[in-house]
Amino acid sequence: MPERRVLLIIGGGVAAYKSLVLIRELARRGVATRAILTKAGKEFVTPLSVGALTGDKVYSDLFDLTDEAEMGHIELSRSADLVVVAPATADLIAKAANGLANDLASTAILATDKPVLYAPAMNVRMWEHAATQRNAARLAGDGALFVGPNEGEMACGEFGFGRMAEPVEIADAIDAALAGGGLDNSLAGKRIIVTAGPTHEPIDPVRYIANRSSGKQGYAIAKALARLGADVTLVSGPTELASPHGVKTIRVETARQMLEAVDGALPADCAIMCAAVADYRPENESGNKIKKEHGGIGAISLAENPDILKTVSSKKAGRPRLVVGFAAETDNVLAHARAKRIRKGCDWIIANDVSAGAHCAMGGDRNTVTLISADGEEAWPELSKDETAQKLARAIADALAGPPSLKAAE
Ligand code: PMT
């Protein structure tokens, strides 16, 4: 097999030390690394340590005559099969998204004719900032590949998405990119709608009916599907979460707005209703704060909300080929979920134990689910919401790839 080569651009971030581990991991897998170390990157790792691991010269300066004589920066940008940016800082991502080229790293990214894989690493607020999300989405739209960022504790002490993917994960993504000319794109061309989060049903200007859903599971599903190349529309109730990159997010407040947004996003190949939609809303929203003296909120009457899952499942024309519901239950989980699948007419239902004694799936970070379809049931072990999302995305990719054998509930 011809030697596989990557050009690794090491940006300035605490995670730069992981890039040293990445170089070793790549060497173990038979991938040769040539490195560009940015000026900021040198504050975190030294050219000496990078060069010792790559066994090659480490490049840093755009206008270094010696470098240019040995290998011009254009040639350098094309000398590998893949360009990997790890850590990909907010600055490097912003420059690349806007086509700036004022140093060796950004010039190499712009000049390369090879795929570019980014492993973002930054503070959670920086990652979630609309500007960074816009830049990452633009790069993804231009065909760039991404691995991570992961959720976890960061060097700055904050918690959230922003940690660089682990070296083994990045190496896996590199392997996949080198093997197939890209990461797993098995959902490319498939339109998928995901709902997430709670709905808020206004009572008066200061109160609403809601539930404890955080949106984490639905957002993780949208992200996992987008990573497989799907064209994802995420219809989200009120949450604190940033839109996953590469995903079109429509934010709504109420169940009726959610239905309208889902309807507007159809047609689709698949719809996944993960949102915890309020079944009821106050019949009339009061324009003024309801006073205790006038009966308080105990006096409000309720109206039933539309059932979005049932509406989509029962579409005569333009029904998605695969409709997936969730059933959040605290007792008799499987029995209730089986009945719900039939009642709502969806193809699959994900039975989810949300009893307080379990691990607080609603609002928490982990859950234990069972996938129920007309063809059988599959109990999954306790997983993080990201892992659940990846497993579900994989199952959806397999289902949509095969013949349309999925039986809708009779
Ligand atoms: O958001 P997280 O904190 O990450 O938590 C994730 C979750 C626990 C909310 C999620 O995994 C989950 O289980 N979602 C379903 C929650 C639920 O309220 O289920 P349900 O049994 O009320 O509804 C069954 C199905 O019908 C769901 O797919 C729901 O989206 C859908 N539904 C319900 C009512 C309604 N009016 N319209 C609907 O579409």
Side-chain angles (χ1 to χ4, degrees), residues 38 44 91 247 249-250 281 399:
T38 67
F44 295 91
D91 180 64
V247 169
T249 303
I250 303 173
R281 65 176 185 279

Side-chain angles (χ1 to χ4, degrees), residues 195-198 211-219 221 239 241 255 258 272-280 305-311 324-329 340 343-344 346 349-354 360-364 367 369 385:
T195 67
N211 56 63
R212 297 179 198 276
S213 166
S214 62
K216 287 179 198 168
Q217 184 63 84
Y219 276 61
I221 292 169
T239 74
L241 306 174
M258 189 172 271
I272 304 161
M273 303 300 172
C274 184
V277 185
D279 288 324
Y280 292 93
N305 268 331
D307 190 314
I308 305 163
L309 176 58
K310 199 168 175 179
T311 308
V324 182
F326 270 74
E329 309 291 345
K340 214 169 252 182
R343 203 166 61 243
K344 303 218 179 201
C346 53
I349 203 150
I350 311 294
N352 200 354
D353 185 344
V354 290
C360 205
M362 196 178 270
N367 52 25
V369 305
K385 286 185 175 172

Side-chain angles (χ1 to χ4, degrees), residues 152-210:
E153 197 158 334
M154 271 161 276
C156 57
E158 288 188 54
F159 185 90
F161 284 95
R163 271 177 73 90
M164 187 166 92
E166 295 306 316
V168 169
E169 272 178 86
I170 303 175
D172 284 348
I174 290 171
D175 261 342
L178 291 173
L183 296 174
D184 184 349
N185 249 354
S186 45
L187 283 172
K190 298 282 189 283
R191 285 170 58 92
I192 304 188
I193 302 170
V194 181
T195 67
T199 61
H200 286 184
E201 310 295 336
I203 298 171
D204 65 17
V206 295
R207 305 181 181 99
Y208 53 79
I209 298 173

